[in-house]
PDB file of all heavy atoms in Angstrom:
ATOM      1  N   ASN A1569     178.978 147.519  49.826  1.00 96.00           N
ATOM      2  CA  ASN A1569     179.237 146.387  50.699  1.00 96.00           C
ATOM      3  C   ASN A1569     180.614 146.466  51.351  1.00 96.00           C
ATOM      4  O   ASN A1569     181.051 145.510  51.992  1.00 96.00           O
ATOM      5  CB  ASN A1569     179.102 145.071  49.924  1.00 96.00           C
ATOM      6  CG  ASN A1569     177.657 144.722  49.643  1.00 96.00           C
ATOM      7  OD1 ASN A1569     176.778 144.952  50.472  1.00 96.00           O
ATOM      8  ND2 ASN A1569     177.394 144.177  48.460  1.00 96.00           N
ATOM      9  N   ALA A1570     181.290 147.578  51.174  1.00 97.00           N
ATOM     10  CA  ALA A1570     182.556 147.822  51.859  1.00 97.00           C
ATOM     11  C   ALA A1570     182.336 148.951  52.864  1.00 97.00           C
ATOM     12  O   ALA A1570     181.725 149.971  52.539  1.00 97.00           O
ATOM     13  CB  ALA A1570     183.642 148.209  50.863  1.00 97.00           C
ATOM     14  N   THR A1571     182.818 148.760  54.077  1.00 97.00           N
ATOM     15  CA  THR A1571     182.682 149.791  55.116  1.00 97.00           C
ATOM     16  C   THR A1571     183.934 150.649  55.130  1.00 97.00           C
ATOM     17  O   THR A1571     185.042 150.159  55.372  1.00 97.00           O
ATOM     18  CB  THR A1571     182.482 149.151  56.499  1.00 97.00           C
ATOM     19  OG1 THR A1571     181.300 148.353  56.480  1.00 97.00           O
ATOM     20  CG2 THR A1571     182.336 150.224  57.566  1.00 97.00           C
ATOM     21  N   LYS A1572     183.745 151.946  54.876  1.00 98.00           N
ATOM     22  CA  LYS A1572     184.853 152.892  54.873  1.00 98.00           C
ATOM     23  C   LYS A1572     184.849 153.674  56.187  1.00 98.00           C
ATOM     24  O   LYS A1572     183.821 154.214  56.586  1.00 98.00           O
ATOM     25  CB  LYS A1572     184.725 153.867  53.703  1.00 98.00           C
ATOM     26  CG  LYS A1572     184.675 153.213  52.333  1.00 98.00           C
ATOM     27  CD  LYS A1572     184.438 154.260  51.258  1.00 98.00           C
ATOM     28  CE  LYS A1572     184.287 153.662  49.883  1.00 98.00           C
ATOM     29  NZ  LYS A1572     184.015 154.697  48.850  1.00 98.00           N
ATOM     30  N   GLU A1573     185.982 153.740  56.798  1.00 98.00           N
ATOM     31  CA  GLU A1573     186.135 154.490  58.043  1.00 98.00           C
ATOM     32  C   GLU A1573     187.163 155.595  57.827  1.00 98.00           C
ATOM     33  O   GLU A1573     188.295 155.321  57.419  1.00 98.00           O
ATOM     34  CB  GLU A1573     186.596 153.560  59.169  1.00 98.00           C
ATOM     35  CG  GLU A1573     186.860 154.254  60.495  1.00 98.00           C
ATOM     36  CD  GLU A1573     187.424 153.297  61.532  1.00 98.00           C
ATOM     37  OE1 GLU A1573     187.117 152.089  61.466  1.00 98.00           O
ATOM     38  OE2 GLU A1573     188.187 153.770  62.409  1.00 98.00           O
ATOM     39  N   TYR A1574     186.762 156.822  58.073  1.00 98.00           N
ATOM     40  CA  TYR A1574     187.643 157.970  57.897  1.00 98.00           C
ATOM     41  C   TYR A1574     187.941 158.624  59.241  1.00 98.00           C
ATOM     42  O   TYR A1574     187.203 158.443  60.225  1.00 98.00           O
ATOM     43  CB  TYR A1574     187.004 159.011  56.978  1.00 98.00           C
ATOM     44  CG  TYR A1574     186.953 158.635  55.523  1.00 98.00           C
ATOM     45  CD1 TYR A1574     186.009 157.725  55.053  1.00 98.00           C
ATOM     46  CD2 TYR A1574     187.829 159.198  54.604  1.00 98.00           C
ATOM     47  CE1 TYR A1574     185.944 157.379  53.714  1.00 98.00           C
ATOM     48  CE2 TYR A1574     187.773 158.865  53.256  1.00 98.00           C
ATOM     49  CZ  TYR A1574     186.826 157.954  52.817  1.00 98.00           C
ATOM     50  OH  TYR A1574     186.760 157.614  51.493  1.00 98.00           O
ATOM     51  N   GLU A1575     189.000 159.411  59.256  1.00 98.00           N
ATOM     52  CA  GLU A1575     189.343 160.210  60.423  1.00 98.00           C
ATOM     53  C   GLU A1575     189.579 161.640  59.949  1.00 98.00           C
ATOM     54  O   GLU A1575     190.153 161.858  58.879  1.00 98.00           O
ATOM     55  CB  GLU A1575     190.598 159.656  61.090  1.00 98.00           C
ATOM     56  CG  GLU A1575     190.974 160.321  62.399  1.00 98.00           C
ATOM     57  CD  GLU A1575     192.211 159.678  63.013  1.00 98.00           C
ATOM     58  OE1 GLU A1575     192.266 158.432  63.042  1.00 98.00           O
ATOM     59  OE2 GLU A1575     193.103 160.427  63.438  1.00 98.00           O
ATOM     60  N   ALA A1576     189.149 162.610  60.739  1.00 98.00           N
ATOM     61  CA  ALA A1576     189.318 164.012  60.362  1.00 98.00           C
ATOM     62  C   ALA A1576     189.612 164.857  61.592  1.00 98.00           C
ATOM     63  O   ALA A1576     189.139 164.561  62.693  1.00 98.00           O
ATOM     64  CB  ALA A1576     188.063 164.539  59.664  1.00 98.00           C
ATOM     65  N   VAL A1577     190.395 165.896  61.388  1.00 97.00           N
ATOM     66  CA  VAL A1577     190.575 166.933  62.394  1.00 97.00           C
ATOM     67  C   VAL A1577     189.820 168.153  61.886  1.00 97.00           C
ATOM     68  O   VAL A1577     190.040 168.607  60.760  1.00 97.00           O
ATOM     69  CB  VAL A1577     192.063 167.272  62.605  1.00 97.00           C
ATOM     70  CG1 VAL A1577     192.209 168.487  63.526  1.00 97.00           C
ATOM     71  CG2 VAL A1577     192.793 166.071  63.187  1.00 97.00           C
ATOM     72  N   ALA A1578     188.907 168.643  62.699  1.00 97.00           N
ATOM     73  CA  ALA A1578     188.032 169.741  62.281  1.00 97.00           C
ATOM     74  C   ALA A1578     187.688 170.608  63.484  1.00 97.00           C
ATOM     75  O   ALA A1578     188.163 170.370  64.610  1.00 97.00           O
ATOM     76  CB  ALA A1578     186.762 169.181  61.631  1.00 97.00           C
ATOM     77  N   GLY A1579     186.855 171.606  63.239  1.00 95.00           N
ATOM     78  CA  GLY A1579     186.436 172.485  64.321  1.00 95.00           C
ATOM     79  C   GLY A1579     185.563 171.759  65.337  1.00 95.00           C
ATOM     80  O   GLY A1579     185.178 170.602  65.145  1.00 95.00           O
ATOM     81  N   PHE A1580     185.238 172.465  66.422  1.00 96.00           N
ATOM     82  CA  PHE A1580     184.396 171.882  67.466  1.00 96.00           C
ATOM     83  C   PHE A1580     183.343 172.888  67.896  1.00 96.00           C
ATOM     84  O   PHE A1580     183.627 174.082  68.046  1.00 96.00           O
ATOM     85  CB  PHE A1580     185.245 171.464  68.669  1.00 96.00           C
ATOM     86  CG  PHE A1580     184.420 170.967  69.822  1.00 96.00           C
ATOM     87  CD1 PHE A1580     183.813 169.727  69.764  1.00 96.00           C
ATOM     88  CD2 PHE A1580     184.240 171.761  70.956  1.00 96.00           C
ATOM     89  CE1 PHE A1580     183.038 169.272  70.827  1.00 96.00           C
ATOM     90  CE2 PHE A1580     183.474 171.307  72.013  1.00 96.00           C
ATOM     91  CZ  PHE A1580     182.871 170.054  71.948  1.00 96.00           C
ATOM     92  N   ASP A1581     182.125 172.417  68.092  1.00 96.00           N
ATOM     93  CA  ASP A1581     181.012 173.233  68.569  1.00 96.00           C
ATOM     94  C   ASP A1581     180.338 172.460  69.699  1.00 96.00           C
ATOM     95  O   ASP A1581     179.766 171.385  69.469  1.00 96.00           O
ATOM     96  CB  ASP A1581     180.020 173.497  67.430  1.00 96.00           C
ATOM     97  CG  ASP A1581     178.888 174.431  67.838  1.00 96.00           C
ATOM     98  OD1 ASP A1581     178.697 174.656  69.052  1.00 96.00           O
ATOM     99  OD2 ASP A1581     178.184 174.934  66.930  1.00 96.00           O
ATOM    100  N   ALA A1582     180.425 172.983  70.903  1.00 96.00           N
ATOM    101  CA  ALA A1582     179.872 172.305  72.071  1.00 96.00           C
ATOM    102  C   ALA A1582     178.368 172.114  71.980  1.00 96.00           C
ATOM    103  O   ALA A1582     177.799 171.274  72.691  1.00 96.00           O
ATOM    104  CB  ALA A1582     180.231 173.071  73.344  1.00 96.00           C
ATOM    105  N   ALA A1583     177.711 172.871  71.106  1.00 97.00           N
ATOM    106  CA  ALA A1583     176.260 172.752  70.971  1.00 97.00           C
ATOM    107  C   ALA A1583     175.852 171.545  70.130  1.00 97.00           C
ATOM    108  O   ALA A1583     174.668 171.187  70.091  1.00 97.00           O
ATOM    109  CB  ALA A1583     175.692 174.032  70.360  1.00 97.00           C
ATOM    110  N   LEU A1584     176.800 170.927  69.459  1.00 97.00           N
ATOM    111  CA  LEU A1584     176.499 169.777  68.613  1.00 97.00           C
ATOM    112  C   LEU A1584     176.645 168.478  69.403  1.00 97.00           C
ATOM    113  O   LEU A1584     177.625 168.300  70.138  1.00 97.00           O
ATOM    114  CB  LEU A1584     177.441 169.736  67.404  1.00 97.00           C
ATOM    115  CG  LEU A1584     177.343 170.905  66.420  1.00 97.00           C
ATOM    116  CD1 LEU A1584     178.454 170.801  65.378  1.00 97.00           C
ATOM    117  CD2 LEU A1584     175.979 170.932  65.741  1.00 97.00           C
ATOM    118  N   ASP A1585     175.698 167.599  69.268  1.00 97.00           N
ATOM    119  CA  ASP A1585     175.752 166.297  69.916  1.00 97.00           C
ATOM    120  C   ASP A1585     176.311 165.241  68.967  1.00 97.00           C
ATOM    121  O   ASP A1585     175.961 165.214  67.785  1.00 97.00           O
ATOM    122  CB  ASP A1585     174.357 165.860  70.381  1.00 97.00           C
ATOM    123  CG  ASP A1585     173.805 166.746  71.482  1.00 97.00           C
ATOM    124  OD1 ASP A1585     174.602 167.200  72.326  1.00 97.00           O
ATOM    125  OD2 ASP A1585     172.581 167.001  71.485  1.00 97.00           O
ATOM    126  N   PHE A1586     177.152 164.366  69.505  1.00 98.00           N
ATOM    127  CA  PHE A1586     177.719 163.256  68.743  1.00 98.00           C
ATOM    128  C   PHE A1586     177.566 161.986  69.546  1.00 98.00           C
ATOM    129  O   PHE A1586     177.597 162.017  70.774  1.00 98.00           O
ATOM    130  CB  PHE A1586     179.192 163.516  68.430  1.00 98.00           C
ATOM    131  CG  PHE A1586     179.421 164.689  67.513  1.00 98.00           C
ATOM    132  CD1 PHE A1586     179.754 165.938  68.038  1.00 98.00           C
ATOM    133  CD2 PHE A1586     179.300 164.551  66.147  1.00 98.00           C
ATOM    134  CE1 PHE A1586     179.966 167.022  67.206  1.00 98.00           C
ATOM    135  CE2 PHE A1586     179.505 165.629  65.305  1.00 98.00           C
ATOM    136  CZ  PHE A1586     179.840 166.869  65.833  1.00 98.00           C
ATOM    137  N   PRO A1587     177.416 160.848  68.853  1.00 98.00           N
ATOM    138  CA  PRO A1587     177.406 160.673  67.386  1.00 98.00           C
ATOM    139  C   PRO A1587     176.144 161.246  66.764  1.00 98.00           C
ATOM    140  O   PRO A1587     175.115 161.364  67.421  1.00 98.00           O
ATOM    141  CB  PRO A1587     177.482 159.159  67.218  1.00 98.00           C
ATOM    142  CG  PRO A1587     176.870 158.615  68.468  1.00 98.00           C
ATOM    143  CD  PRO A1587     177.252 159.558  69.556  1.00 98.00           C
ATOM    144  N   ARG A1588     176.239 161.580  65.493  1.00 98.00           N
ATOM    145  CA  ARG A1588     175.102 162.102  64.758  1.00 98.00           C
ATOM    146  C   ARG A1588     175.198 161.682  63.304  1.00 98.00           C
ATOM    147  O   ARG A1588     176.284 161.450  62.770  1.00 98.00           O
ATOM    148  CB  ARG A1588     175.011 163.623  64.871  1.00 98.00           C
ATOM    149  CG  ARG A1588     176.096 164.370  64.128  1.00 98.00           C
ATOM    150  CD  ARG A1588     176.078 165.871  64.471  1.00 98.00           C
ATOM    151  NE  ARG A1588     174.832 166.504  64.082  1.00 98.00           N
ATOM    152  CZ  ARG A1588     174.129 167.308  64.883  1.00 98.00           C
ATOM    153  NH1 ARG A1588     174.550 167.549  66.114  1.00 98.00           N
ATOM    154  NH2 ARG A1588     173.024 167.870  64.457  1.00 98.00           N
ATOM    155  N   VAL A1589     174.045 161.574  62.662  1.00 98.00           N
ATOM    156  CA  VAL A1589     173.974 161.236  61.243  1.00 98.00           C
ATOM    157  C   VAL A1589     173.598 162.493  60.469  1.00 98.00           C
ATOM    158  O   VAL A1589     172.650 163.196  60.837  1.00 98.00           O
ATOM    159  CB  VAL A1589     172.945 160.129  60.972  1.00 98.00           C
ATOM    160  CG1 VAL A1589     172.778 159.901  59.474  1.00 98.00           C
ATOM    161  CG2 VAL A1589     173.379 158.827  61.646  1.00 98.00           C
ATOM    162  N   VAL A1590     174.362 162.797  59.432  1.00 98.00           N
ATOM    163  CA  VAL A1590     174.085 163.952  58.572  1.00 98.00           C
ATOM    164  C   VAL A1590     173.618 163.438  57.221  1.00 98.00           C
ATOM    165  O   VAL A1590     174.298 162.607  56.600  1.00 98.00           O
ATOM    166  CB  VAL A1590     175.331 164.842  58.397  1.00 98.00           C
ATOM    167  CG1 VAL A1590     175.021 166.015  57.471  1.00 98.00           C
ATOM    168  CG2 VAL A1590     175.822 165.340  59.748  1.00 98.00           C
ATOM    169  N   ARG A1591     172.479 163.910  56.796  1.00 98.00           N
ATOM    170  CA  ARG A1591     171.936 163.573  55.477  1.00 98.00           C
ATOM    171  C   ARG A1591     171.652 164.863  54.722  1.00 98.00           C
ATOM    172  O   ARG A1591     171.118 165.816  55.300  1.00 98.00           O
ATOM    173  CB  ARG A1591     170.646 162.763  55.593  1.00 98.00           C
ATOM    174  CG  ARG A1591     170.781 161.437  56.319  1.00 98.00           C
ATOM    175  CD  ARG A1591     169.448 160.703  56.345  1.00 98.00           C
ATOM    176  NE  ARG A1591     169.525 159.441  57.078  1.00 98.00           N
ATOM    177  CZ  ARG A1591     169.292 159.315  58.374  1.00 98.00           C
ATOM    178  NH1 ARG A1591     168.946 160.407  59.087  1.00 98.00           N
ATOM    179  NH2 ARG A1591     169.386 158.151  58.973  1.00 98.00           N
TER     180      ARG A1591
END
Side-chain angles (χ1 to χ4, degrees):
N1569 286 323
T1571 300
K1572 302 176 184 178
E1573 177 185 331
Y1574 287 77
E1575 186 178 315
V1577 173
F1580 175 73
D1581 184 345
L1584 296 173
D1585 294 324
F1586 295 97
R1588 70 189 298 132
V1589 174
V1590 179
R1591 300 181 182 90

